[in-house]
């Protein structure tokens, strides 16, 4: 009697540790919980599979280092493309603070006429 209650409590603790990432993962975990008893594992797996029908059949592979790096760089480049004007303004402010010692940046699409019509920032350290 005590052994049966202990086994049941142990099984409930193992069920709490199930991580339902895919149907294959649930099948493996249920087989581990049932300690190799296929019929018991099948009942347990069917219960979870019925409750969560949207689970994928197998786990998605983890992205590789190259994929993570590529996604990060794409995010940075798209952000910098969206905020290009603001970044250019910051650069011009820093350039003005350093007394124009930094070389001017060329902006694609800017002609001499648009550059001449742009008002330059006044020097900061002028009194």
């Amino acid at each position: 009697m005590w052994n049966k209650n202990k086994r049941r409590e142990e099984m409930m603790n193992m069920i709490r540790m199930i991580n339902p990432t895919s149907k294959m993962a649930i099948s493996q975990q249920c087989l581990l919980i049932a300690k190799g008893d296929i019929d018991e594992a099948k009942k347990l797996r069917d219960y979870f599979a019925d409750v969560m029908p949207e689970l994928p059949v197998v786990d998605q592979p983890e992205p590789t280092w190259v994929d993570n790096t590529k996604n990060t760089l794409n995010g940075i480049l798209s952000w910098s493309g969206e905020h290009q004007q603001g970044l250019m303004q910051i650069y011009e402010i820093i350039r003005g603070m350093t007394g124009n010692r930094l070389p001017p940046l060329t902006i694609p699409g800017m002609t001499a006429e648009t550059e001449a019509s742009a008002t330059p920032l006044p020097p900061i350290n002028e009194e």
Side-chain angles (χ1 to χ4, degrees):
M1 180 172 174
W2 294 101
N3 194 16
K4 186 177 181 182
N5 287 340
K6 185 178 180 182
R7 165 94 169 108
R8 183 182 199 121
E9 185 177 323
E10 182 180 296
M11 187 172 169
M12 291 305 291
N13 286 336
M14 291 177 100
I15 288 173
R16 287 186 194 105
M17 293 184 347
I18 288 179
N19 185 11
T21 56
S22 69
K23 291 180 182 178
M24 183 66 172
I26 289 177
S27 296
Q28 291 171 344
Q29 291 170 359
C30 289
L31 192 60
L32 180 68
I33 290 170
K35 295 188 178 184
D37 186 4
I38 293 177
D39 293 331
E40 188 176 337
K42 201 172 196 181
K43 287 178 191 175
L44 193 56
R45 190 201 69 80
D46 289 341
Y47 171 75
F48 284 114
D50 290 342
V51 174
M52 298 176 262
E54 70 279 351
L55 282 177
V57 176
V58 293
D59 290 330
Q60 296 294 324
E62 292 289 323
T64 62
W65 178 82
V66 173
D67 292 335
N68 284 337
T69 304
K70 182 179 168 185
N71 292 338
T72 302
L73 287 175
N74 283 339
I76 290 171
L77 292 175
S78 67
W79 179 86
S80 63
E82 292 170 4
H83 298 89
Q84 181 179 10
Q85 194 64 27
L87 292 172
M88 292 303 297
Q89 289 174 349
I90 291 171
Y91 180 77
E92 289 298 324
I93 289 171
I94 292 172
R95 197 170 158 233
M97 290 170 65
T98 59
N100 291 332
R101 286 178 286 184
L102 297 174
L105 288 178
T106 58
I107 302 172
M110 182 174 273
T111 62
E113 298 146 0
T114 56
E115 191 173 339
S117 66
T119 57
L121 294 173
I124 293 177
N125 50 3
E126 204 176 88
E127 295 190 31

